Amino acid sequence: MRWNTCLCPSGWTGAGCHTAVCELPCANGGRCVGPGTCQCPSDYTGLQCLLPLCTPACQNGGRCVDVNKCTCVAGWQGARCHIEPVHCQKPCRNGGVCVGLNRCRCAKGFTGSLCETGVTTQCVPPCQHGATCSPHNTCTCPEGTAGLRCERLTCPVVTTVVSTARAVRQAFRESYVDRCGPLGVQLCTKYRMNQARVYLQAYRVGYKIQCPVKKNT
């Protein structure tokens, strides 16, 4: 503007316009290094250096509330919320043990978040007569069977026969009388192919275990 006098642009000040201006002051030892730009110390961040930093960062939903100080949620513990609580809102089933936050360690033969599902494996030797393979290589026998592999029938086996019929078209040769000869005065027997609907009878044979009906006493 005149000898040794500068008119500074917006965001700068000082005799030589070398000093930056931060309208929002830098906090926690931060330094204004450009118009509206703070250079924060290593423990803070943000526009005004107001946000503390946790190094390493808080885990599992924890929040950094002061320099290297975390506030944990949902029962997590430790300086960085890294220690898992042993708490299951719903109890583990079938002999499972709670080992973390809603985390179960299941007994052999079971799976699922609550150990509620039995692992389907092939029993050796296999179950018989429609039995189901259960955990620990055991068979769950249906009514009317017994034994380690449900190999023994305790109720009589009844044969069931279901009769079914289905319609089909069948070709056949039929005869008819028609005039023939040079003048059409003769009668000749001729043949042609025709179709008729016939019904085929079939039987489906099955077997089932018939146990006597228990009477309520």
Side-chain angles (χ1 to χ4, degrees):
M1 296 295 291
R2 57 182 180 273
W3 181 258
N4 284 337
T5 301
C6 297
L7 177 64
C8 299
S10 176
W12 295 95
T13 189
C17 304
H18 296 149
T19 304
V21 176
C22 292
E23 294 183 3
L24 298 174
C26 304
N28 297 307
R31 189 165 60 92
C32 186
V33 294
T37 304
C38 294
Q39 185 181 57
C40 303
S42 59
D43 292 336
Y44 289 90
T45 187
L47 187 63
Q48 294 179 262
C49 307
L50 293 174
L51 301 177
L53 290 175
C54 292
T55 306
C58 306
Q59 303 177 28
N60 302 301
R63 188 167 59 92
C64 187
V65 294
D66 203 348
V67 176
N68 291 326
K69 183 179 180 181
C70 297
T71 296
C72 305
V73 296
W76 288 86
Q77 301 174 356
R80 292 296 178 267
C81 309
H82 59 285
I83 301 176
E84 183 180 8
V86 180
H87 174 68
C88 294
Q89 292 182 344
K90 294 182 179 180
C92 305
R93 297 163 57 181
N94 298 308
V97 179
C98 183
V99 294
L101 182 60
N102 294 322
R103 195 161 54 89
C104 296
R105 183 173 63 228
C106 301
K108 186 178 179 180
F110 292 94
T111 186
S113 59
L114 300 176
C115 310
E116 72 280 6
T117 304
V119 178
T120 303
T121 56
Q122 186 69 32
C123 287
V124 180
C127 306
Q128 301 181 27
H129 298 115
T132 304
C133 184
S134 300
H136 312 301
N137 199 34
T138 59
C139 296
T140 301
C141 299
E143 185 181 11
T145 64
L148 292 177
R149 289 295 175 260
C150 311
E151 71 281 0
R152 193 169 67 255
L153 298 178
T154 58
C155 294
V157 176
V158 178
T159 302
T160 59
V161 179
V162 179
S163 174
T164 59
R166 62 187 181 93
V168 297
R169 290 188 174 275
Q170 193 173 58
F172 66 95
R173 186 168 177 248
E174 67 175 1
S175 63
Y176 64 98
V177 177
D178 194 7
R179 293 184 179 275
C180 61
L183 301 177
V185 295
Q186 297 179 1
L187 295 178
C188 300
T189 300
K190 297 183 179 181
Y191 297 92
R192 60 189 175 191
M193 297 301 295
N194 204 346
Q195 287 188 343
R197 177 179 292 183
V198 296
Y199 292 89
L200 298 180
Q201 196 74 20
Y203 299 94
R204 188 170 67 245
V205 180
Y207 304 91
K208 66 177 181 179
I209 301 172
Q210 185 70 49
C211 292
V213 179
K214 296 181 180 180
K215 296 182 179 181
N216 295 328
T217 57

